[in-house]
Amino acid sequence: MEVKDWYKLTFQIESDSEDIIIWKLNDLGIFSFSFEYLIKNENKKEVNIWLPINEWDESSRNNFEEIISKLINIDDSKDKFFDWSTIKEEDWLTSWKKYWAPELVGNHFLILPYWINLDEKFKDKKIIQIDPGAAFGTGSHPSTYLCLEKMDNILFSDKKILDIGSGSGILSIAARLLGAKEVFAVDNDYLAINSTKSNFQLNFGNLNNLNTYLGSFNEVILKNQLKQFDFVLCNILAEVIKGMIPNIYKCLKNNGEVILSGILNSQKDEIIKILIQNDLKLLDVSTRKDWVCISAQKTSDPTKL
């Protein structure tokens, strides 16, 4: 079995730059990262990013430094801003796990790292156990939080759910905990599909009522004729969401709802405009930090039947 070692990249940012860093890391397909408050200066945070050594040569690392430098407007030539170190595979989990802690979301959810014992005071919560492996985050991203918070106030009992960009499977698990009858999870990354199935198994002891599909959403929907969903959940980047909205409309049943997250506040108006253009009625907009969650509904239209 191949041993995978890691680069750990560390640098400091102003606290108000956290959201734009998260957005860029997601845009680049980087999901193994953490932010730590600095005790001596609460206006700054330390960013830690883990990258597989065999995928990041010197040129790639230099390019990445340039991207981050331009993003937050710093000049690394004046001072050593980026600190690179290496971590052996056997030290990976120890390095990663120390940044995890149980997290309450909304009124009923608790995201629980699988290796942490449940505290008695949380036994009345809906527990989402997560093992992200080395490829996915903890579920504490503001866009994930917003999506779970929105789901917390919806009746999913006996509903048919589609989770687009399932990642670690956190939204699929939440839907099933809320009573969903059948969950369909789509992702274009085989690691994500494996993670979705693994975490679903971790929470329910089986894969009953879970259907997974590897590939892009638009291709999967057409190939498998997936339709008549009560709810569509989509927590990915806004630029990707825009091209999916016409097919999201098609796969919803009449009066079905879509919950979109992963959208920056500056992108909100454009997404709402596209939803309306595709006959999806705006229901709600919620925000957390600079991130937005939008819900909309497919209303019956006799002219389209």
Side-chain angles (χ1 to χ4, degrees), residues 16-33:
D16 58 8
S17 296
E18 178 180 353
D19 289 330
I20 194 65
I21 292 290
I22 292 174
W23 178 85
K24 178 52 70 174
L25 292 177
N26 277 263
D27 188 39
L28 294 171
I30 298 170
F31 302 103
S32 297
F33 56 83

Side-chain angles (χ1 to χ4, degrees), residues 194-251:
N194 290 343
S195 185
T196 293
K197 291 194 288 189
S198 175
N199 283 317
F200 204 89
Q201 176 86 28
L202 180 65
N203 282 268
F204 304 111
N206 57 61
L207 297 178
N208 298 343
N209 309 106
L210 176 69
N211 307 274
T212 57
Y213 298 87
L214 174 63
S216 73
F217 163 70
N218 289 332
E219 292 174 354
V220 166
I221 286 294
L222 294 174
K223 180 180 178 181
N224 297 281
Q225 294 295 300
L226 301 182
K227 54 188 177 180
Q228 292 295 301
F229 288 97
D230 295 287
F231 289 93
V232 171
L233 313 172
C234 185
N235 179 27
I236 53 181
L237 294 175
E239 288 301 316
V240 182
I241 288 174
K242 288 190 293 186
M244 295 179 173
I245 290 175
N247 277 332
I248 287 176
Y249 174 89
K250 291 177 183 177
C251 71

Side-chain angles (χ1 to χ4, degrees), residues 88-102:
K88 295 292 184 182
E89 172 70 9
E90 59 266 25
D91 297 324
W92 161 252
L93 284 177
T94 302
S95 174
W96 175 252
K97 286 180 181 179
K98 72 178 183 179
Y99 296 100
W100 277 62

Side-chain angles (χ1 to χ4, degrees), residues 68-70 72-82:
I68 298 298
S69 298
K70 290 178 181 177
I72 56 179
N73 196 28
I74 59 99
D75 184 358
D76 187 40
S77 63
K78 294 181 179 179
D79 194 14
K80 185 171 173 54
F81 184 77
F82 298 101

